[in-house]
Amino acid sequence: MQKLPELRWWWVAAAAAVTAILIAAATWLLVSQVATAPTSDAARAELDAIRTALSLAVGTGGAFALWLAARRQRSTEIQIKETIAATAEDQRHRERVQLATEFDLTERRITELYAKAVEQIGSDKAPVRLGGLYALERLANANPTLRQAVVNVICAYLRMPFPEPSWDYERSRAVEMKNGLSEAERQEREELQVRLAVQQMLADHLREADGSPEKWGVLDIDLSRAVLIDFRFEHCVVGEATFRGAQFLVVARFDQTVFHREAWFYEADFDRLASFRDARFLDRAVFTNTRFGWHFLASGVRFLGGAWFLRSKFGGRCDFSGGEFERCADFDKQSALTEPSDGSLWWTEFPDTRFNFQGARAGQLDTEPTLPDRWSVSADGTFAYRGELAPS
């Protein structure tokens, strides 16, 4: 705010001097007239004129004094407002500096904790590695902006080489205590426990968001060429999911999981059971060159961005009953079927097919669907089976 121009001291002094001279002159005239004691009407009229002039002079001086006081008050108010504004601006500046300092300290602390946790993950001791991963989990819970980075680190850890265990990790504790474990088996067992804990951690935080800090929301995951053991990913929500060349040992469960962006299972290997019951793929789902060792259960699945199962190998029942296919449904005309290894009655009872599309529907398809042998899409969009035996 711009200050009003200040009165110069000499101008104020001159005005005061003129007022004083006028008052003094009027007083002198009045006194001199009173001293001569005039009695004529002309003298009395002159005396009244002097009194009037003196009153005017005094009034002018008073008005000038009031004007000076008003100017002084106005100047004081302006100075007070400017002082208050300057104080407030200084306080805001101090607050900004304090916030910036606190932010820098927080970021530095987070960076140090993050670096320390990552360093722990590189340890050759399983408990230390697990501790580092749990430290990252705590950081992600408290700092939403770090969650994608933490998920990236977790996925990178699971992508690290881990050979299929050379021992049966499902055997009982009694057998383990009887035969003992070699050093290599002990390290494998410890690493397995770390991986199982990390897989559980990832699934727990990517489950359907409920607003709590423990739910991290829709994030991308990349588990390409990872070895995933007993992978349980039910009820999760993910962005883009990449499982290119991943190896799923024992079971892989994605029941009711929602894939918001592309899901890549290209060249993945499902050792035993793969379950996608009621899963939703909002974008492309690519299972090209994928091997299903046992059953592929996907009843109620919804492929809203297209499904590709070209050159995939199936070794058991493939259940798509009640599912929905939009944009694309690509299977090989003669889908590759591996020979049964367990002598189950399924193969004897149903020697020609292992696919079930009963109750499934095809929506708006961009291309002509290619389906397994004896299956086709009717005019009303339902899947029809032309074989002699029921497919289920």
Side-chain angles (χ1 to χ4, degrees):
M1 181 181 297
Q2 186 177 4
K3 291 185 177 181
L4 294 175
E6 297 182 358
L7 295 175
R8 297 186 179 181
W9 66 270
W10 57 267
W11 191 85
V12 175
V18 170
T19 303
I21 291 172
L22 291 174
I23 294 174
T27 303
W28 178 80
L29 290 174
L30 179 62
V31 171
S32 63
Q33 290 296 328
V34 172
T36 56
T39 57
S40 62
D41 292 338
R44 284 196 294 272
E46 185 177 354
L47 185 61
D48 289 338
I50 293 173
R51 288 196 189 99
T52 302
L54 182 61
S55 298
L56 289 173
V58 172
T60 302
F64 183 71
L66 289 175
W67 180 78
L68 286 178
R71 285 292 299 270
R72 188 180 301 109
Q73 179 66 24
R74 176 61 177 166
S75 178
T76 302
E77 291 177 356
I78 291 174
Q79 291 179 358
I80 292 174
K81 289 182 179 179
E82 290 182 345
T83 302
I84 294 174
T87 303
E89 179 62 28
D90 182 67
Q91 181 64 27
R92 287 193 293 269
H93 176 71
R94 290 175 182 272
E95 291 175 355
R96 289 195 295 268
V97 171
Q98 183 178 0
L99 288 175
T101 303
E102 292 177 355
F103 178 78
D104 290 341
L105 291 175
T106 302
E107 289 295 308
R108 186 179 306 172
R109 179 175 175 273
I110 291 174
T111 302
E112 291 175 355
L113 292 175
Y114 182 85
K116 184 177 180 180
V118 172
E119 184 179 355
Q120 286 180 279
I121 294 174
S123 173
D124 58 350
K125 301 184 186 313
V128 177
R129 296 196 297 273
L130 191 57
L133 290 163
Y134 280 127
L136 285 178
E137 178 188 30
R138 290 194 298 272
L139 278 176
N141 285 336
N143 302 277
T145 57
L146 284 179
R147 290 173 181 173
Q148 184 62 66
V150 170
V151 168
N152 292 344
V153 173
I154 291 174
C155 291
Y157 184 86
L158 292 174
R159 291 198 305 268
M160 291 182 181
F162 180 66
E164 184 174 351
S166 58
W167 37 267
D168 183 3
Y169 58 84
E170 293 178 318
R171 63 186 175 179
S172 67
R173 178 68 176 171
V175 174
E176 179 180 316
M177 294 181 66
K178 178 180 178 180
N179 297 334
L181 292 175
S182 66
E183 180 63 22
E185 287 178 328
R186 184 187 63 79
Q187 292 180 358
E188 287 179 1
R189 176 64 63 89
E190 290 179 351
E191 175 60 15
L192 172 64
Q193 297 306 315
V194 174
R195 286 176 172 266
L196 291 176
V198 173
Q199 290 178 182
Q200 188 64 44
M201 179 194 304
L202 187 64
D204 287 343
H205 292 296
L206 294 184
R207 299 211 189 280
E208 192 168 359
D210 58 5
S212 63
E214 289 76 21
K215 304 301 181 183
W216 294 351
V218 180
L219 300 174
D220 299 336
I221 59 174
D222 184 0
L223 291 169
S224 301
R225 295 173 295 280
V227 177
L228 306 172
I229 303 168
D230 198 13
F231 193 68
R232 299 182 180 273
F233 212 65
E234 305 98 324
H235 304 280
C236 291
V237 289
V238 294
E240 182 172 334
T242 306
F243 293 91
R244 293 173 180 263
Q247 186 178 5
F248 296 91
L249 301 181
V250 192
V251 298
R253 292 193 174 276
F254 293 88
D255 302 328
Q256 298 186 39
T257 293
V258 180
F259 298 86
H260 283 260
R261 292 187 283 277
E262 293 182 346
W264 289 87
F265 290 87
Y266 182 80
E267 292 184 344
D269 191 312
F270 292 88
D271 177 47
R272 301 184 187 179
L273 176 66
S275 182
F276 287 81
R277 289 189 175 100
D278 296 314
R280 282 190 298 160
F281 294 86
L282 306 185
D283 207 324
R284 294 195 298 172
V286 181
F287 289 85
T288 301
N289 284 335
T290 299
R291 187 186 78 88
F292 299 94
W294 283 13
H295 303 318
F296 179 69
L297 307 181
S299 57
V301 67
R302 300 179 65 190
F303 295 106
L304 303 182
W308 285 263
F309 288 86
L310 297 173
R311 299 183 300 280
S312 294
K313 296 182 179 181
F314 302 90
R317 179 162 58 106
C318 302
D319 185 6
F320 296 95
S321 59
E324 181 181 353
F325 292 81
E326 295 280 350
R327 294 189 57 187
C328 179
D330 272 356
F331 293 77
D332 290 333
K333 285 292 186 179
Q334 298 291 336
S335 296
L337 300 170
T338 60
E339 292 298 325
S341 58
D342 57 357
S344 63
L345 294 177
W346 176 265
W347 293 88
T348 303
E349 186 177 2
F350 302 103
D352 295 327
T353 180
R354 262 69 61 186
F355 292 94
N356 181 11
F357 291 92
Q358 284 188 330
R361 297 188 60 84
Q364 186 67 37
L365 298 178
D366 297 337
T367 59
E368 186 70 20
T370 57
L371 299 176
D373 190 30
R374 301 191 181 188
W375 283 99
S376 61
V377 177
S378 303
D380 60 356
T382 59
F383 284 77
Y385 179 64
R386 301 189 307 274
E388 297 178 358
L389 299 176
S392 61

